[in-house]
Amino acid sequence: MKIKTTAQPITKAPKGYVRLVLDTKGSTRFVEKSGTTELHIVSGAYKDVTPRTFRTLVRTIAQVAKKHEIAKLAVQFSLTPFPQLKKRGDTWVVRTIAENLHLADYTYTAYKSTKEKKPTLEVLLCGDLSKAEAAALKTGEIVAESVNTTRNIANTPGGDMTPALLAKAAKNALRGTKVKVRALDLSQIKKLGMGGLVGVGQGAKDKPRFIILEYFGGKKSDAPIVFVGKGITFDTGGLQVKPGMAMYEMHMDMSGGAAVIGALRAAAKLGLKKNLVGLIPAAENAISDEAIRPGDVLTMMSGKTVDVLHTDAEGRLVLADGLHYAKKYKPGLIVDVATLTGAALVAVGQHAHVIMTKDRKLEDTLRDLGETCGDYVHPLPLWDEFVPYTKGVHGDISNIPSNDSKYGGTINAATFLSHFTEGERWVHIDMAPRMTAVASDKLAKGATGEPVRLLLAIAENL
Ligand code: BES
Ligand code: MN
Ligand code: ZN
Protein backbone atom coordinates (compact mmCIF):
# COMPACT_ATOMS: atom_id res chain seq x y z
CA MET A 1 0.00 0.00 0.00
CA LYS A 2 1.18 3.42 -0.92
CA ILE A 3 -0.54 6.64 0.11
CA LYS A 4 -0.05 9.66 -2.11
CA THR A 5 -1.57 13.12 -1.87
CA THR A 6 -2.68 15.78 -4.30
CA ALA A 7 -4.10 19.23 -3.71
CA GLN A 8 -6.54 18.60 -6.58
CA PRO A 9 -10.12 17.72 -5.67
CA ILE A 10 -11.22 14.17 -6.41
CA THR A 11 -13.13 15.31 -9.51
CA LYS A 12 -9.77 16.28 -10.98
CA ALA A 13 -7.91 13.16 -9.95
CA PRO A 14 -5.53 11.99 -12.66
CA LYS A 15 -6.72 9.42 -15.17
CA GLY A 16 -6.63 5.77 -14.23
CA TYR A 17 -7.89 6.17 -10.66
CA VAL A 18 -11.03 4.53 -9.36
CA ARG A 19 -12.94 7.15 -7.38
CA LEU A 20 -14.32 6.33 -3.96
CA VAL A 21 -17.88 7.37 -3.20
CA LEU A 22 -19.45 6.93 0.23
CA ASP A 23 -23.16 6.15 0.07
CA THR A 24 -25.57 6.43 2.96
CA LYS A 25 -27.35 3.27 1.79
CA GLY A 26 -27.27 0.63 -0.93
CA SER A 27 -24.45 -1.84 -1.41
CA THR A 28 -20.82 -1.98 -2.44
CA ARG A 29 -20.69 -1.62 -6.21
CA PHE A 30 -18.79 -0.20 -9.18
CA VAL A 31 -20.39 2.50 -11.32
CA GLU A 32 -19.06 3.69 -14.67
CA LYS A 33 -19.49 7.47 -15.06
CA SER A 34 -18.17 9.55 -17.94
CA GLY A 35 -15.16 7.31 -18.39
CA THR A 36 -14.32 7.08 -14.66
CA THR A 37 -15.02 4.07 -12.49
CA GLU A 38 -16.53 4.79 -9.09
CA LEU A 39 -16.33 2.42 -6.16
CA HIS A 40 -19.39 2.89 -3.96
CA ILE A 41 -19.10 1.83 -0.36
CA VAL A 42 -21.86 2.22 2.21
CA SER A 43 -21.12 4.29 5.30
CA GLY A 44 -24.68 4.66 6.61
CA ALA A 45 -26.07 8.08 7.46
CA TYR A 46 -23.12 10.45 7.74
CA LYS A 47 -24.31 11.88 11.04
CA ASP A 48 -24.18 8.37 12.55
CA VAL A 49 -20.55 7.69 11.60
CA THR A 50 -18.61 7.49 14.88
CA PRO A 51 -14.85 7.38 15.37
CA ARG A 52 -15.25 3.62 15.88
CA THR A 53 -17.30 2.96 12.74
CA PHE A 54 -15.09 5.32 10.74
CA ARG A 55 -12.07 3.15 11.52
CA THR A 56 -13.90 0.06 10.29
CA LEU A 57 -15.05 1.96 7.22
CA VAL A 58 -11.49 2.92 6.30
CA ARG A 59 -10.40 -0.69 6.73
CA THR A 60 -13.29 -1.89 4.60
CA ILE A 61 -12.27 0.50 1.83
CA ALA A 62 -8.75 -0.96 1.79
CA GLN A 63 -10.00 -4.54 1.87
CA VAL A 64 -12.61 -4.07 -0.85
CA ALA A 65 -10.08 -2.30 -3.06
CA LYS A 66 -7.63 -5.13 -2.59
CA LYS A 67 -10.25 -7.80 -3.16
CA HIS A 68 -11.16 -6.24 -6.50
CA GLU A 69 -7.49 -5.77 -7.36
CA ILE A 70 -7.86 -2.03 -7.76
CA ALA A 71 -4.40 -0.59 -8.37
CA LYS A 72 -5.24 3.07 -7.87
CA LEU A 73 -7.95 4.51 -5.69
CA ALA A 74 -8.72 8.22 -5.33
CA VAL A 75 -10.28 9.25 -2.04
CA GLN A 76 -11.47 12.54 -0.63
CA PHE A 77 -13.03 13.10 2.78
CA SER A 78 -14.96 16.21 3.52
CA LEU A 79 -15.60 16.40 7.23
CA THR A 80 -18.53 18.72 7.00
CA PRO A 81 -21.21 16.02 6.88
CA PHE A 82 -19.60 13.95 9.70
CA PRO A 83 -20.32 15.84 12.94
CA GLN A 84 -18.90 13.11 15.20
CA LEU A 85 -15.59 13.10 13.32
CA LYS A 86 -15.41 16.86 13.08
CA LYS A 87 -15.31 16.94 16.87
CA ARG A 88 -12.09 14.90 16.78
CA GLY A 89 -10.42 17.33 14.40
CA ASP A 90 -8.86 17.16 10.95
CA THR A 91 -5.48 15.80 12.00
CA TRP A 92 -7.15 12.96 13.89
CA VAL A 93 -9.08 12.06 10.73
CA VAL A 94 -6.01 12.08 8.50
CA ARG A 95 -3.94 10.06 10.97
CA THR A 96 -6.77 7.58 11.41
CA ILE A 97 -7.12 7.14 7.65
CA ALA A 98 -3.39 6.53 7.20
CA GLU A 99 -3.18 4.12 10.12
CA ASN A 100 -6.17 2.03 9.21
CA LEU A 101 -5.49 1.79 5.48
CA HIS A 102 -2.10 0.25 6.28
CA LEU A 103 -3.45 -1.96 9.06
CA ALA A 104 -6.14 -3.38 6.77
CA ASP A 105 -3.63 -3.87 3.97
CA TYR A 106 -1.37 -6.11 6.10
CA THR A 107 -1.20 -9.86 5.62
CA TYR A 108 1.29 -12.30 7.13
CA THR A 109 2.97 -14.03 4.20
CA ALA A 110 6.33 -15.11 5.63
CA TYR A 111 5.41 -18.79 5.34
CA LYS A 112 3.63 -18.81 1.96
CA SER A 113 5.69 -20.70 -0.60
CA THR A 114 4.25 -18.66 -3.46
CA LYS A 115 3.67 -14.99 -2.93
CA GLU A 116 0.38 -13.62 -4.21
CA LYS A 117 0.87 -11.27 -7.09
CA LYS A 118 -1.82 -8.71 -6.26
CA PRO A 119 -0.84 -5.19 -7.25
CA THR A 120 0.16 -2.90 -4.39
CA LEU A 121 -2.75 -0.59 -3.87
CA GLU A 122 -2.08 3.10 -4.28
CA VAL A 123 -4.44 5.44 -2.47
CA LEU A 124 -4.51 9.05 -3.60
CA LEU A 125 -5.77 11.43 -0.91
CA CYS A 126 -7.31 14.33 -2.77
CA GLY A 127 -7.80 17.85 -1.48
CA ASP A 128 -5.53 20.37 0.14
CA LEU A 129 -3.79 19.11 3.27
CA SER A 130 -2.61 21.65 5.81
CA LYS A 131 0.92 21.30 7.17
CA ALA A 132 -0.45 19.72 10.33
CA GLU A 133 -2.53 17.27 8.32
CA ALA A 134 0.43 16.27 6.17
CA ALA A 135 2.38 15.60 9.39
CA ALA A 136 -0.53 13.58 10.75
CA LEU A 137 -0.47 11.45 7.61
CA LYS A 138 3.21 10.69 8.14
CA THR A 139 2.60 9.95 11.82
CA GLY A 140 -0.21 7.56 10.94
CA GLU A 141 2.05 5.71 8.52
CA ILE A 142 4.82 5.34 11.11
CA VAL A 143 2.33 4.09 13.70
CA ALA A 144 0.82 1.54 11.31
CA GLU A 145 4.28 0.34 10.24
CA SER A 146 5.12 -0.20 13.91
CA VAL A 147 1.86 -2.05 14.60
CA ASN A 148 2.52 -4.26 11.58
CA THR A 149 6.08 -4.92 12.78
CA THR A 150 4.55 -6.10 16.05
CA ARG A 151 2.15 -8.34 14.11
CA ASN A 152 5.04 -9.91 12.19
CA ILE A 153 6.85 -10.69 15.43
CA ALA A 154 3.74 -12.01 17.20
CA ASN A 155 2.64 -14.13 14.23
CA THR A 156 5.97 -15.94 13.96
CA PRO A 157 5.53 -19.60 14.95
CA GLY A 158 6.89 -20.64 18.35
CA GLY A 159 9.62 -22.82 16.84
CA ASP A 160 11.02 -19.81 15.04
CA MET A 161 10.61 -17.33 17.88
CA THR A 162 12.67 -18.47 20.84
CA PRO A 163 13.62 -16.00 23.59
CA ALA A 164 16.97 -15.36 21.87
CA LEU A 165 15.22 -14.85 18.53
CA LEU A 166 12.76 -12.45 20.16
CA ALA A 167 15.74 -10.41 21.34
CA LYS A 168 17.06 -10.48 17.79
CA ALA A 169 13.68 -9.42 16.42
CA ALA A 170 13.72 -6.48 18.85
CA LYS A 171 17.15 -5.46 17.59
CA ASN A 172 15.99 -5.72 13.97
CA ALA A 173 12.82 -3.75 14.58
CA LEU A 174 14.70 -0.98 16.39
CA ARG A 175 17.76 -0.80 14.18
CA GLY A 176 18.49 2.74 13.07
CA THR A 177 16.42 4.26 15.89
CA LYS A 178 17.66 5.82 19.12
CA VAL A 179 16.41 2.86 21.16
CA LYS A 180 19.20 0.96 22.87
CA VAL A 181 18.55 -2.79 22.95
CA ARG A 182 20.20 -5.27 25.29
CA ALA A 183 19.35 -8.86 26.15
CA LEU A 184 20.49 -10.46 29.40
CA ASP A 185 21.26 -14.18 29.11
CA LEU A 186 20.54 -16.94 31.61
CA SER A 187 23.64 -16.41 33.74
CA GLN A 188 22.93 -12.68 34.04
CA ILE A 189 19.27 -13.37 34.79
CA LYS A 190 20.30 -15.81 37.53
CA LYS A 191 22.74 -13.28 38.95
CA LEU A 192 19.88 -10.80 39.30
CA GLY A 193 17.92 -13.43 41.19
CA MET A 194 15.00 -13.51 38.76
CA GLY A 195 13.60 -16.79 40.07
CA GLY A 196 10.30 -16.34 38.27
CA LEU A 197 11.86 -15.99 34.83
CA VAL A 198 14.41 -18.73 35.49
CA GLY A 199 11.73 -21.09 36.81
CA VAL A 200 9.31 -20.65 33.93
CA GLY A 201 12.10 -21.04 31.37
CA GLN A 202 13.89 -24.01 32.95
CA GLY A 203 11.95 -26.71 31.08
CA ALA A 204 12.95 -25.45 27.65
CA LYS A 205 16.06 -26.12 25.58
CA ASP A 206 16.09 -22.47 24.49
CA LYS A 207 16.95 -20.46 27.55
CA PRO A 208 15.26 -17.25 28.76
CA ARG A 209 16.34 -13.73 27.92
CA PHE A 210 15.56 -10.48 29.68
CA ILE A 211 15.24 -7.88 26.95
CA ILE A 212 15.84 -4.23 27.83
CA LEU A 213 14.88 -1.35 25.53
CA GLU A 214 15.87 2.19 26.49
CA TYR A 215 14.81 5.38 24.76
CA PHE A 216 15.81 8.62 26.43
CA GLY A 217 14.24 11.36 24.34
CA GLY A 218 13.25 13.56 27.28
CA LYS A 219 15.03 15.61 29.89
CA LYS A 220 17.41 13.77 32.20
CA SER A 221 15.25 14.76 35.16
CA ASP A 222 12.04 13.30 33.64
CA ALA A 223 10.97 10.06 35.31
CA PRO A 224 10.59 7.42 32.58
CA ILE A 225 7.53 5.41 31.71
CA VAL A 226 8.43 1.73 31.93
CA PHE A 227 6.54 -0.76 29.76
CA VAL A 228 6.80 -4.39 30.82
CA GLY A 229 5.65 -6.90 28.17
CA LYS A 230 5.04 -10.61 28.66
CA GLY A 231 7.39 -12.54 26.40
CA ILE A 232 6.32 -16.18 26.60
CA THR A 233 7.43 -17.42 23.19
CA PHE A 234 5.27 -20.52 23.52
CA ASP A 235 2.92 -21.52 26.31
CA THR A 236 2.27 -25.24 26.51
CA GLY A 237 0.87 -24.77 30.00
CA GLY A 238 3.91 -26.59 31.38
CA LEU A 239 3.41 -29.91 33.20
CA GLN A 240 -0.23 -28.88 33.69
CA VAL A 241 -0.47 -29.02 29.92
CA LYS A 242 -3.13 -27.10 28.03
CA PRO A 243 -5.81 -29.37 26.58
CA GLY A 244 -6.45 -29.72 22.85
CA MET A 245 -6.98 -26.53 20.90
CA ALA A 246 -6.35 -24.37 23.99
CA MET A 247 -2.64 -24.61 23.10
CA TYR A 248 -3.15 -23.46 19.50
CA GLU A 249 -2.12 -19.81 19.03
CA MET A 250 0.06 -19.87 22.15
CA HIS A 251 2.98 -18.80 19.95
CA MET A 252 1.37 -15.38 20.35
CA ASP A 253 1.87 -15.43 24.13
CA MET A 254 4.67 -12.91 23.59
CA SER A 255 2.27 -10.37 22.11
CA GLY A 256 2.70 -8.03 25.09
CA GLY A 257 6.45 -8.01 24.52
CA ALA A 258 5.96 -7.55 20.78
CA ALA A 259 3.67 -4.58 21.47
CA VAL A 260 6.32 -2.96 23.66
CA ILE A 261 8.83 -3.32 20.82
CA GLY A 262 6.40 -1.74 18.35
CA ALA A 263 5.51 1.11 20.70
CA LEU A 264 9.15 2.04 21.29
CA ARG A 265 9.80 1.84 17.58
CA ALA A 266 6.98 4.29 16.89
CA ALA A 267 7.99 6.60 19.75
CA ALA A 268 11.59 6.75 18.54
CA LYS A 269 10.67 7.21 14.87
CA LEU A 270 8.33 10.03 15.87
CA GLY A 271 11.07 11.56 17.99
CA LEU A 272 8.96 11.79 21.15
CA LYS A 273 10.59 13.91 23.81
CA LYS A 274 9.97 11.33 26.50
CA ASN A 275 12.00 8.83 28.46
CA LEU A 276 10.72 5.34 27.81
CA VAL A 277 11.91 1.91 28.87
CA GLY A 278 10.71 -1.46 27.62
CA LEU A 279 11.33 -4.63 29.61
CA ILE A 280 10.53 -8.05 28.17
CA PRO A 281 11.02 -11.14 30.31
CA ALA A 282 11.17 -13.81 27.60
CA ALA A 283 10.89 -17.55 28.15
CA GLU A 284 9.29 -20.64 26.69
CA ASN A 285 6.86 -22.42 29.01
CA ALA A 286 7.81 -25.93 27.90
CA ILE A 287 7.27 -29.46 29.16
CA SER A 288 10.24 -31.62 30.17
CA ASP A 289 11.78 -33.40 33.13
CA GLU A 290 13.40 -30.07 33.98
CA ALA A 291 10.18 -28.03 33.96
CA ILE A 292 8.84 -26.46 37.15
CA ARG A 293 6.36 -28.64 39.04
CA PRO A 294 3.21 -27.71 40.93
CA GLY A 295 4.37 -27.21 44.51
CA ASP A 296 7.79 -25.87 43.59
CA VAL A 297 8.65 -22.65 45.42
CA LEU A 298 10.43 -19.89 43.52
CA THR A 299 12.37 -17.00 45.02
CA MET A 300 11.69 -13.90 42.97
CA MET A 301 14.03 -10.98 42.33
CA SER A 302 12.13 -8.96 44.95
CA GLY A 303 12.96 -11.62 47.53
CA LYS A 304 9.37 -12.81 47.85
CA THR A 305 8.81 -16.55 47.59
CA VAL A 306 6.06 -17.96 45.37
CA ASP A 307 4.27 -21.29 45.46
CA VAL A 308 3.78 -22.53 41.93
CA LEU A 309 0.31 -24.00 42.30
CA HIS A 310 -0.28 -23.99 38.56
CA THR A 311 2.40 -24.22 35.88
CA ASP A 312 0.06 -22.59 33.35
CA ALA A 313 -0.08 -19.37 35.39
CA GLU A 314 3.44 -18.60 34.14
CA GLY A 315 2.95 -15.12 32.72
CA ARG A 316 2.56 -13.52 36.14
CA LEU A 317 5.76 -15.25 37.31
CA VAL A 318 7.94 -13.71 34.59
CA LEU A 319 6.16 -10.35 34.82
CA ALA A 320 6.79 -10.21 38.57
CA ASP A 321 10.53 -10.08 37.94
CA GLY A 322 10.07 -7.56 35.13
CA LEU A 323 7.94 -5.32 37.35
CA HIS A 324 10.46 -5.49 40.16
CA TYR A 325 13.33 -4.68 37.79
CA ALA A 326 11.31 -1.66 36.55
CA LYS A 327 11.68 0.03 39.94
CA LYS A 328 15.37 0.64 39.36
CA TYR A 329 14.43 3.31 36.80
CA LYS A 330 12.47 5.28 39.42
CA PRO A 331 9.58 5.39 36.94
CA GLY A 332 6.77 7.92 36.87
CA LEU A 333 4.50 5.18 35.58
CA ILE A 334 4.72 1.42 35.05
CA VAL A 335 2.52 -0.19 32.41
CA ASP A 336 2.55 -3.92 31.97
CA VAL A 337 0.94 -5.60 29.00
CA ALA A 338 0.31 -9.31 28.80
CA THR A 339 -1.78 -12.06 27.27
CA LEU A 340 -2.36 -13.06 30.85
CA THR A 341 -5.71 -14.77 31.35
CA GLY A 342 -8.34 -16.60 29.35
CA ALA A 343 -10.71 -15.26 32.01
CA ALA A 344 -10.32 -11.78 30.50
CA LEU A 345 -12.05 -13.05 27.34
CA VAL A 346 -14.81 -14.54 29.45
CA ALA A 347 -15.25 -11.18 31.18
CA VAL A 348 -15.24 -8.73 28.27
CA GLY A 349 -15.28 -10.72 25.02
CA GLN A 350 -12.84 -9.95 22.23
CA HIS A 351 -13.32 -6.24 21.58
CA ALA A 352 -11.38 -4.61 24.41
CA HIS A 353 -8.27 -4.93 26.51
CA VAL A 354 -8.86 -5.23 30.23
CA ILE A 355 -7.14 -2.51 32.24
CA MET A 356 -6.67 -2.53 35.98
CA THR A 357 -5.30 0.20 38.20
CA LYS A 358 -6.07 1.75 41.54
CA ASP A 359 -5.52 5.19 39.99
CA ARG A 360 -9.00 6.28 38.93
CA LYS A 361 -7.76 9.26 36.93
CA LEU A 362 -5.32 7.05 35.03
CA GLU A 363 -8.13 4.60 34.34
CA ASP A 364 -10.31 7.36 32.87
CA THR A 365 -7.42 8.72 30.81
CA LEU A 366 -6.72 5.29 29.34
CA ARG A 367 -10.37 4.79 28.43
CA ASP A 368 -10.32 8.11 26.55
CA LEU A 369 -6.99 7.38 24.87
CA GLY A 370 -8.36 3.99 23.83
CA GLU A 371 -11.29 5.59 22.01
CA THR A 372 -8.98 8.09 20.35
CA CYS A 373 -6.41 5.58 19.13
CA GLY A 374 -8.57 2.52 18.48
CA ASP A 375 -7.18 0.14 21.11
CA TYR A 376 -10.32 -0.01 23.22
CA VAL A 377 -10.03 -0.79 26.92
CA HIS A 378 -12.41 -1.64 29.72
CA PRO A 379 -11.64 -1.65 33.44
CA LEU A 380 -11.94 -4.42 36.01
CA PRO A 381 -11.43 -3.70 39.71
CA LEU A 382 -8.25 -4.15 41.72
CA TRP A 383 -9.85 -4.54 45.12
CA ASP A 384 -8.19 -5.44 48.39
CA GLU A 385 -10.82 -8.15 48.90
CA PHE A 386 -8.83 -10.27 46.45
CA VAL A 387 -5.50 -10.02 48.26
CA PRO A 388 -6.18 -12.94 50.64
CA TYR A 389 -6.54 -15.26 47.62
CA THR A 390 -2.89 -14.72 46.79
CA LYS A 391 -1.72 -16.01 50.18
CA GLY A 392 0.99 -18.64 49.93
CA VAL A 393 0.87 -22.17 51.31
CA HIS A 394 4.57 -22.63 52.08
CA GLY A 395 5.86 -19.53 50.29
CA ASP A 396 4.79 -15.92 50.80
CA ILE A 397 2.29 -15.87 47.96
CA SER A 398 0.92 -18.36 45.44
CA ASN A 399 0.51 -17.93 41.70
CA ILE A 400 -3.15 -18.99 41.77
CA PRO A 401 -5.61 -19.03 44.67
CA SER A 402 -4.98 -22.14 46.75
CA ASN A 403 -8.70 -22.98 46.67
CA ASP A 404 -8.40 -23.07 42.84
CA SER A 405 -11.38 -20.71 42.54
CA LYS A 406 -12.91 -20.53 39.06
CA TYR A 407 -13.96 -16.95 39.60
CA GLY A 408 -12.27 -13.61 39.00
CA GLY A 409 -9.25 -15.12 37.27
CA THR A 410 -8.22 -11.84 35.66
CA ILE A 411 -8.40 -10.00 38.97
CA ASN A 412 -6.48 -12.73 40.78
CA ALA A 413 -3.67 -12.48 38.23
CA ALA A 414 -3.44 -8.70 38.57
CA THR A 415 -3.59 -8.97 42.36
CA PHE A 416 -0.62 -11.32 42.21
CA LEU A 417 1.27 -8.70 40.16
CA SER A 418 0.37 -6.00 42.68
CA HIS A 419 2.73 -7.70 45.16
CA PHE A 420 5.57 -6.52 42.92
CA THR A 421 4.43 -2.95 42.23
CA GLU A 422 3.97 -1.67 45.78
CA GLY A 423 4.30 2.11 46.00
CA GLU A 424 4.39 2.53 42.20
CA ARG A 425 1.96 4.25 39.86
CA TRP A 426 0.94 1.23 37.85
CA VAL A 427 -1.59 0.01 35.32
CA HIS A 428 -1.95 -3.57 34.17
CA ILE A 429 -3.23 -4.34 30.66
CA ASP A 430 -4.54 -7.87 30.13
CA MET A 431 -4.50 -7.98 26.33
CA ALA A 432 -5.56 -11.64 25.99
CA PRO A 433 -8.94 -10.53 24.55
CA ARG A 434 -7.17 -8.73 21.69
CA MET A 435 -4.39 -11.22 20.97
CA THR A 436 -6.06 -12.43 17.76
CA ALA A 437 -8.20 -10.51 15.30
CA VAL A 438 -11.93 -11.21 15.05
CA ALA A 439 -13.95 -10.85 11.84
CA SER A 440 -15.43 -7.44 12.65
CA ASP A 441 -11.94 -5.97 13.07
CA LYS A 442 -11.48 -6.12 9.28
CA LEU A 443 -7.89 -7.22 9.82
CA ALA A 444 -5.96 -10.24 8.55
CA LYS A 445 -6.22 -13.40 10.65
CA GLY A 446 -3.70 -13.64 13.48
CA ALA A 447 -2.11 -11.04 15.71
CA THR A 448 -3.82 -7.64 15.96
CA GLY A 449 -0.64 -5.75 16.86
CA GLU A 450 -2.54 -4.14 19.69
CA PRO A 451 -2.08 -2.30 22.00
CA VAL A 452 0.84 -0.56 20.25
CA ARG A 453 -1.32 2.49 19.52
CA LEU A 454 -2.41 2.72 23.16
CA LEU A 455 1.13 2.37 24.54
CA LEU A 456 2.22 5.10 22.14
CA ALA A 457 -0.71 7.27 23.23
CA ILE A 458 0.37 6.75 26.84
CA ALA A 459 3.90 7.78 25.90
CA GLU A 460 2.60 10.83 24.05
CA ASN A 461 0.13 11.98 26.69
CA LEU A 462 1.23 10.88 30.16
N1 BES B 1 -1.31 -17.30 28.05
C1 BES B 1 -2.35 -17.77 28.87
C2 BES B 1 -3.63 -16.92 28.80
C3 BES B 1 -4.35 -16.86 27.47
C4 BES B 1 -5.34 -17.75 27.16
C5 BES B 1 -4.05 -15.86 26.56
C6 BES B 1 -6.01 -17.66 25.95
C7 BES B 1 -4.72 -15.76 25.36
C8 BES B 1 -5.71 -16.66 25.05
C9 BES B 1 -1.90 -17.81 30.32
O1 BES B 1 -0.56 -18.10 30.54
C10 BES B 1 -2.68 -18.88 30.98
O2 BES B 1 -2.48 -20.00 30.65
N2 BES B 1 -3.54 -18.52 31.94
C11 BES B 1 -4.33 -19.47 32.63
C12 BES B 1 -4.33 -19.13 34.10
C13 BES B 1 -4.90 -20.20 34.98
C14 BES B 1 -4.00 -21.41 35.01
C15 BES B 1 -5.07 -19.64 36.38
C16 BES B 1 -5.74 -19.41 32.04
O3 BES B 1 -6.18 -18.33 31.65
O4 BES B 1 -6.35 -20.45 31.94
MN1 MN C 1 -0.20 -20.17 30.67
ZN1 ZN D 1 0.71 -17.66 29.02
Side-chain angles (χ1 to χ4, degrees):
M1 157 101 51
K2 210 172 159 57
I3 302 179
K4 289 190 175 174
T5 58
T6 173
Q8 298 283 355
I10 191 165
T11 48
K12 291 206 177 136
K15 253 188 134 54
Y17 282 85
V18 174
R19 280 185 205 160
L20 176 74
V21 180
L22 291 183
D23 290 337
T24 53
K25 46 181 182 280
S27 57
T28 298
R29 66 196 188 280
F30 289 96
V31 175
E32 198 57 40
K33 245 189 188 167
S34 55
T36 318
T37 311
E38 290 180 349
L39 167 63
H40 287 245
I41 288 187
V42 183
S43 66
Y46 288 174
K47 69 168 179 26
D48 294 335
V49 174
T50 65
R52 285 190 177 216
T53 57
F54 180 62
R55 251 179 223 107
T56 324
L57 178 63
V58 173
R59 292 177 180 185
T60 304
I61 292 166
Q63 291 200 333
V64 170
K66 274 184 55 166
K67 188 172 133 217
H68 293 284
E69 302 194 11
I70 295 173
K72 293 173 159 207
L73 184 69
V75 172
Q76 183 166 20
F77 281 104
S78 157
L79 282 194
T80 321
F82 296 101
Q84 301 194 58
L85 304 185
K86 216 171 159 53
K87 265 190 276 180
R88 292 277 173 178
D90 301 290
T91 53
W92 178 90
V93 172
V94 174
R95 176 168 167 176
T96 300
I97 291 169
E99 279 179 16
N100 289 283
L101 285 176
H102 284 295
L103 294 178
D105 183 52
Y106 171 94
T107 49
Y108 184 61
T109 56
Y111 289 82
K112 297 285 185 203
S113 62
T114 49
K115 307 287 173 207
E116 275 182 65
K117 275 209 211 74
K118 286 201 176 156
T120 35
L121 171 63
E122 181 195 310
V123 174
L124 184 67
L125 281 185
C126 303
D128 224 354
L129 288 189
S130 68
K131 253 200 169 141
E133 287 165 339
L137 173 63
K138 192 87 202 75
T139 300
E141 296 207 272
I142 290 172
V143 173
E145 252 174 46
S146 302
V147 175
N148 289 342
T149 300
T150 289
R151 290 161 91 184
N152 280 337
I153 297 172
N155 278 327
T156 307
D160 289 340
M161 188 52 80
T162 62
L165 289 172
L166 182 59
K168 202 167 155 196
K171 280 182 189 150
N172 279 339
L174 296 165
R175 179 160 307 125
T177 72
K178 285 191 177 146
V179 183
K180 233 183 79 199
V181 184
R182 285 182 289 148
L184 308 185
D185 65 13
L186 183 59
S187 69
Q188 294 168 299
I189 292 166
K190 280 185 173 161
K191 217 174 266 164
L192 287 169
M194 293 184 162
L197 182 55
V198 172
V200 170
Q202 75 189 32
K205 167 169 78 26
D206 296 297
K207 296 306 170 197
R209 291 288 184 278
F210 189 76
I211 305 166
I212 302 170
L213 319 173
E214 291 172 334
Y215 172 75
F216 297 120
K219 289 200 286 280
K220 246 198 155 115
S221 55
D222 290 347
I225 299 175
V226 180
F227 298 107
V228 183
K230 173 174 171 180
I232 296 299
T233 57
F234 196 82
D235 183 9
T236 63
L239 293 181
Q240 280 154 304
V241 55
K242 286 185 183 291
M245 286 303 279
M247 201 189 296
Y248 178 60
E249 295 198 323
M250 279 302 122
H251 63 284
M252 284 185 275
D253 210 16
M254 29 57 73
S255 297
V260 169
I261 295 168
L264 264 81
R265 181 189 183 278
K269 294 232 168 197
L270 294 172
L272 292 201
K273 293 189 170 47
K274 291 290 171 71
N275 296 330
L276 308 169
V277 175
L279 302 174
I280 306 167
E284 180 177 348
N285 189 23
I287 303 172
S288 80
D289 55 347
E290 294 188 90
I292 39 167
R293 295 152 282 260
D296 280 359
V297 181
L298 304 174
T299 303
M300 317 298 274
M301 187 183 179
S302 76
K304 285 190 177 143
T305 56
V306 176
D307 288 304
V308 178
L309 298 188
H310 206 303
T311 62
D312 200 10
E314 85 298 337
R316 61 199 79 179
L317 296 173
V318 304
L319 285 170
D321 284 331
L323 289 167
H324 183 77
Y325 188 90
K327 292 176 182 165
K328 101 181 180 87
Y329 290 96
K330 304 209 178 328
L333 172 66
I334 301 177
V335 183
D336 80 85
V337 50
T339 48
L340 205 60
T341 64
L345 286 91
V346 177
V348 303
Q350 290 189 279
H351 300 285
H353 303 263
V354 170
I355 56 164
M356 301 168 79
T357 177
K358 285 196 167 181
D359 184 331
R360 182 56 182 269
K361 219 180 121 208
L362 182 59
E363 176 188 309
D364 289 341
T365 304
L366 259 57
R367 293 182 73 168
D368 289 344
L369 291 178
E371 295 304 321
T372 303
C373 76
D375 290 341
Y376 310 130
V377 304
H378 197 75
L380 281 181
L382 247 189
W383 287 338
D384 294 339
E385 282 82 349
F386 289 81
V387 174
Y389 304 131
T390 58
K391 200 173 157 40
V393 183
H394 300 304
D396 301 331
I397 50 179
S398 58
N399 74 334
I400 62 162
S402 49
N403 67 356
D404 197 20
S405 162
K406 294 191 283 296
Y407 307 124
T410 303
I411 307 176
N412 289 329
T415 306
F416 176 88
L417 297 179
S418 73
H419 288 282
F420 302 89
T421 58
E422 283 149 344
E424 301 290 336
R425 183 163 169 245
W426 164 62
V427 58
H428 164 60
I429 304 174
D430 192 331
M431 63 160 295
R434 297 295 303 148
M435 183 176 78
T436 35
V438 290
S440 68
D441 290 332
K442 308 281 176 205
L443 294 173
K445 282 208 174 86
T448 61
E450 294 186 16
V452 167
R453 290 171 299 175
L454 180 67
L455 299 185
L456 179 67
I458 291 171
E460 286 176 313
N461 293 286
L462 284 162

